[in-house]
Amino acid sequence: TVTAGNLSNTAIVYPAGHVVFIDHATVAASGTSVTGQTSWTSTNMVSITVSAANIAKYSKILVQAVGNYWSTPATHNYPEWRIAETTDTVYGQAIQTGHQGTTPGEITPVVTLVYYEDISAQTDEHIFVVQWREGNGTDAYVGTVVPNLRGWYMTIWGIV
């Protein structure tokens, strides 16, 4: 029984399935526009490093990232987004956002990414980062992109 301290007190034993906040991070808007980004990049995007000690405490990890972008179309208007765990080269499901066709105009959608991983057999430090590229890695899928229009936010939870 813990009689003093806070929720990060090392004497607390959480029951299986309990969700515990680990960390959060923000990255300010960069306003940098990019064209021709056909490979995955994390330039000016949010990331969090989770220590090996924190990884060892949990059986699973849940990561959420939210941000928005501005883009103009090429043949289509589909930037692609994912959360990557760069230490072990594991990638979350990539999602495409935007609209089809060459209609003039710009879009500024909000992108929400969720990443879930079983880490029960892992003990190393993990680095989670938002990555993006032109849809399908093809230059025709988007014109100009400002991938970090108003900032990105990331939160990580551990599941006991």
Side-chain angles (χ1 to χ4, degrees), residues 6-153:
N6 57 38
L7 292 177
S8 62
N9 187 311
T10 57
I12 295 175
V13 177
Y14 293 101
H18 195 84
V19 178
V20 180
F21 169 81
I22 295 176
D23 201 359
H24 77 283
T26 62
V27 64
S30 72
T32 304
S33 62
V34 181
T35 56
Q37 184 64 49
T38 56
S39 59
W40 291 105
T41 183
S42 57
T43 302
N44 294 321
M45 301 308 282
V46 67
S47 69
I48 293 178
T49 299
V50 181
S51 70
N54 258 336
I55 291 296
K57 293 178 186 178
Y58 306 105
S59 64
K60 297 170 183 65
I61 202 153
L62 178 65
V63 183
Q64 181 182 27
V66 178
N68 74 336
Y69 68 94
W70 169 92
S71 66
T72 58
T75 303
H76 303 287
N77 201 356
Y78 287 115
E80 204 168 16
W81 306 87
R82 70 182 182 188
I83 293 175
E85 194 278 283
T86 60
T87 310
D88 296 323
T89 319
V90 176
Y91 306 105
Q93 175 68 41
I95 63 165
Q96 287 187 342
T97 58
H99 63 85
Q100 188 171 5
T102 57
T103 306
E106 303 153 353
I107 57 173
T108 57
V110 172
V111 178
T112 300
L113 304 170
V114 177
Y115 176 88
Y116 177 80
E117 181 182 357
D118 183 335
I119 58 169
S120 56
Q122 300 179 30
T123 57
D124 58 335
E125 173 183 273
H126 283 46
I127 301 169
F128 296 94
V129 63
V130 170
Q131 295 180 332
W132 77 278
R133 70 176 182 180
E134 296 196 21
N136 296 322
T138 304
D139 200 28
Y141 273 79
V142 72
T144 300
V145 178
V146 177
N148 184 1
L149 182 65
R150 290 188 170 63
W152 275 82
Y153 310 91

